[in-house]
Amino acid sequence: MIIAQFSDIHANGSDAALERFDRVLDWLRPMAPDAIIVSGDLAEHEHDASYQAIHARLSATGSPFFVVPGNVDDHHGLYQTFGKQMGWSGARPFNSVGRVGDQLRVIGLDVTVAGAHHGDAAPVLDWLTAELNSDGPPALIFQHQHPFLCGIDGKDRNICRNGHALSRVIAAAQDPVLGVTCGHVHRAMSTRFAGLPATMAPSVARANRLALDGRESAISDPPGLLLHHFHDGRLVSHVVMVG
């Protein structure tokens, strides 16, 4: 079973932003994923037209898809285009959940904070607790802001706050959790969170340079995505960069 993850498309009304997304979609097409998740920052300008363009492209894949907001998304516009399909009411948070066959569940958390770049898990913890104790199949949790320290210079000031509380909810869950994945920093990475694998998808939009301990790379990476492969109870996440 294959779950494709896009993040940080940052559509803005320009052809260039959507062309980057089209390149990644072209790469993905032969893989025919069983589901697609989008971990926020779908658009940063021209939101209504951008969401409609992204929705059309996702629909054309033929795969079910699930989205959560990012910090530059317009919540009203996102709701207008995706809300009915995601089962959102007009009130936030805009969480999403869906089953992929009978073997896997994807759980999207809206951890965005209005007018801020950082996230906060606190408003979704009660909802997540109920979802993770519902006798459901193994779950892959996705959100926009990273709940773990990434170590990249300046980026952890915009972390998802209350990560320790989120970790406790996951650790106490009755239902199995396979891992946590996110976006936001425009770089692919992996670590551990709540004792589980934790990943960050590369961005579809221009990547941030890698900056660690005051040392910074001189190369900006191409657009990319994650492919999460679930087989025999095991999740393996593949980083794909589309040059």
Side-chain angles (χ1 to χ4, degrees), residues 6 10 26 43 83 96 103 118-119 127 130 144 160 163 191 200 220 228 243:
F6 302 124
H10 284 261
D26 286 345
S96 61
Q103 305 176 44
H118 71 270
W127 179 88
H144 184 61
C160 175
T191 185
M200 181 183 291
S220 182
H228 305 283

Side-chain angles (χ1 to χ4, degrees), residues 81-151:
T81 302
F82 293 93
K84 183 176 180 180
Q85 187 171 345
M86 295 300 107
W88 295 335
S89 68
R92 293 189 54 220
F94 291 159
N95 300 321
S96 61
V97 62
R99 296 200 178 195
V100 186
D102 59 358
Q103 305 176 44
L104 181 66
R105 179 174 30 157
V106 292
I107 299 175
L109 302 179
D110 175 6
V111 298
T112 55
V113 176
H117 291 295
H118 71 270
D120 190 352
V124 302
L125 293 180
D126 288 345
W127 179 88
L128 180 62
T129 297
E131 184 62 38
L132 289 180
N133 292 277
S134 61
D135 294 319
L140 174 63
I141 296 172
F142 69 102
Q143 60 186 64
H144 184 61
Q145 286 95 341
H146 51 301
F148 50 82
L149 292 170
C150 72

